Amino acid sequence: MKTCVFSLVLLFFFLSCETKNKTEKAVEAISVDLKVVRFDKIFFETAPEDLPKIKKEFPFFFPTGNDAAVWLEKMQNPLWRELYSEVQKKFSNFDLYKAELEGVFKHIKYNFPKTVTPKVYTIVAEMDYNNKVIYADSLLIISLEMYLGKEHKFYQFPNYLKQNFEPRQMMPDVVESFARRQIPPSIEKNFLAAMIYSGKQLYLKDKLLSEDYTDADKIGYTAEQLLWCQENESYMWRYFIEDQLLYNDDPKLIPRFISPAPFSKFYLEIDNESPGKVGAWIGWQIVRSYMKNNEVSLPQLMQMSAKEIFEKSNYKPKK
């Protein structure tokens, strides 16, 4: 009997590997013509008198209402020029990231065939950590000043934010920005819907990033923070159930458990030990469980309601 079970497990393993290999070969065969425009270099290496030329060529970077003096000041301001210099030290050669972007968009086109490969623009912007990457169908804009490394002298931010200002977070941020265009706003406004929305974003990272990326990379945790979630999954789920939070529409639950934060707010002694976003992590496990037990495409998953995903997920936290 044991021999039979072992043989079945082995067969399933080889079939899974064969399917995975076929998928990866199909992804690799997809042609992606990705163009990267280093607008950061163009802007800061343009002579002030030639500003009108680049405004004409790149009008989307120069919104109406801003006087030319604003852009001229940015071109020549010592602090801006120092920031640009730091970006060039880190990203003088963008070929490695271009190759990674091509890999991401091969996976995107395999799963979302109608997707148009965007033109990529690198910029030096205002250190807006909420918009490190902006995906807008035909454009992908990456703010390189947000990936200089968490210990960079220019970063005056809390540690929970700075830990994701690493170059390695660029691809997860690209996928997250793409995900926002694929997942429609939920009609349901409860905590479960918010968890599943974040879970969909994270599941896309499972499918669109290379295997080099860990779960910690995908959610923006340290290895220790990820381990905390894994070890306390059952406890967190019990807390959500016993406090009847799943279908609660209190908007305060989002900053408590979904949004980036130094820790999650259970209002218990464990708070300082916990990472932020634990509700997003639980939502990720629910979506993973759903996809393990159901056959749907990624585009179909993105459109599904949180209620249906949860009810058909058979989610059970690991003890």
Side-chain angles (χ1 to χ4, degrees):
M1 182 65 177
K2 288 183 179 180
T3 304
C4 182
V5 171
F6 178 76
S7 299
L8 286 172
V9 170
L10 202 60
L11 178 62
F12 178 77
F13 173 77
F14 283 119
L15 287 174
S16 298
C17 288
E18 186 178 347
T19 301
K20 188 175 180 181
N21 289 336
K22 284 182 179 178
T23 300
E24 287 304 315
K25 287 178 181 178
V27 168
E28 193 56 38
I30 293 172
S31 177
V32 170
D33 183 20
L34 191 78
K35 292 183 172 59
V36 176
V37 178
R38 291 297 302 271
F39 181 76
D40 52 314
K41 285 188 175 184
I42 293 170
F43 180 82
F44 283 100
E45 294 179 11
T46 292
E49 59 269 22
D50 290 330
L51 176 62
K53 293 180 182 177
I54 59 172
K55 287 180 70 175
K56 185 177 180 180
E57 186 176 355
F58 305 100
F60 42 87
F61 285 127
F62 299 93
T64 56
N66 285 338
D67 190 82
V70 173
W71 307 110
L72 290 171
E73 201 280 332
K74 182 174 180 177
M75 276 180 164
Q76 301 170 85
N77 183 290
L79 282 175
W80 276 107
R81 296 206 66 82
E82 185 181 358
L83 178 58
Y84 167 67
S85 176
E86 293 297 300
V87 167
Q88 295 317 302
K89 288 178 188 176
K90 195 77 174 179
F91 299 105
S92 58
N93 187 336
F94 201 71
D95 290 349
L96 173 64
Y97 303 99
K98 182 176 184 289
E100 281 205 77
L101 284 167
E102 287 173 345
V104 168
F105 277 95
K106 283 185 177 186
H107 281 85
I108 287 175
K109 289 184 77 68
Y110 177 80
N111 290 284
F112 299 86
K114 294 181 181 179
T115 301
V116 175
T117 303
K119 183 177 283 189
V120 179
Y121 293 86
T122 62
I123 64 171
V124 172
E126 307 281 346
M127 288 199 181
D128 180 359
Y129 58 81
N130 288 316
N131 293 289
K132 294 191 285 180
V133 175
I134 298 173
Y135 177 87
D137 293 333
S138 61
L139 301 177
L140 182 70
I141 301 169
I142 302 175
S143 297
L144 293 182
E145 83 282 1
M146 298 310 304
Y147 300 100
L148 297 176
K150 63 184 177 183
E151 301 300 334
H152 197 276
K153 63 182 180 180
F154 275 12
Y155 294 148
Q156 303 298 314
F157 296 95
N159 287 335
Y160 77 93
L161 292 174
K162 288 196 299 184
Q163 71 186 42
N164 289 308
F165 295 174
E166 295 285 343
R168 188 161 179 79
Q169 273 301 307
M170 193 183 299
M171 297 307 135
D173 288 344
V174 167
V175 174
E176 187 162 324
S177 188
F178 171 78
R180 293 192 192 110
R181 306 284 295 187
Q182 302 300 318
I183 309 172
S186 176
I187 297 173
E188 305 153 302
K189 300 301 179 184
N190 52 51
F191 182 48
L192 177 65
M195 286 199 295
I196 298 295
Y197 183 93
S198 295
K200 288 179 180 180
Q201 289 183 330
L202 289 161
Y203 189 77
L204 274 186
K205 295 180 186 182
D206 285 339
K207 295 301 178 182
L208 303 182
L209 293 173
S210 74
E211 292 184 351
D212 293 338
Y213 286 87
T214 65
D215 282 1
D217 294 327
K218 294 169 190 173
I219 195 170
Y221 279 169
T222 63
E224 291 76 19
Q225 288 173 324
L226 180 68
L227 181 61
W228 190 94
C229 285
Q230 292 168 338
E231 291 180 342
N232 290 277
E233 181 178 357
S234 181
Y235 173 83
M236 290 189 290
W237 184 245
R238 187 167 67 250
Y239 178 90
F240 293 159
I241 297 297
E242 290 178 353
D243 276 39
Q244 300 181 341
L245 298 186
L246 294 190
Y247 297 102
N248 191 320
D249 59 3
D250 183 354
K252 292 179 182 177
L253 291 171
I254 306 304
R256 282 179 64 189
F257 297 114
I258 302 290
S259 303
F263 53 84
S264 294
K265 297 178 179 66
F266 295 91
Y267 303 132
L268 297 169
E269 289 183 7
I270 65 165
D271 282 8
N272 289 331
E273 302 171 14
S274 69
K277 303 191 295 185
V278 297
W281 188 83
I282 291 285
W284 190 10
Q285 309 319 306
I286 294 172
V287 173
R288 281 175 163 176
S289 182
Y290 173 84
M291 292 301 283
K292 184 178 179 180
N293 292 293
N294 297 272
E295 290 286 339
V296 299
S297 68
L298 283 184
Q300 289 171 330
L301 175 67
M302 297 302 108
Q303 300 297 318
M304 290 179 62
S305 72
K307 185 174 184 292
E308 183 178 0
I309 290 172
F310 176 58
E311 290 178 349
K312 295 181 179 178
S313 69
N314 294 324
Y315 170 69
K316 292 179 181 177
K318 297 181 179 68
K319 295 182 180 181

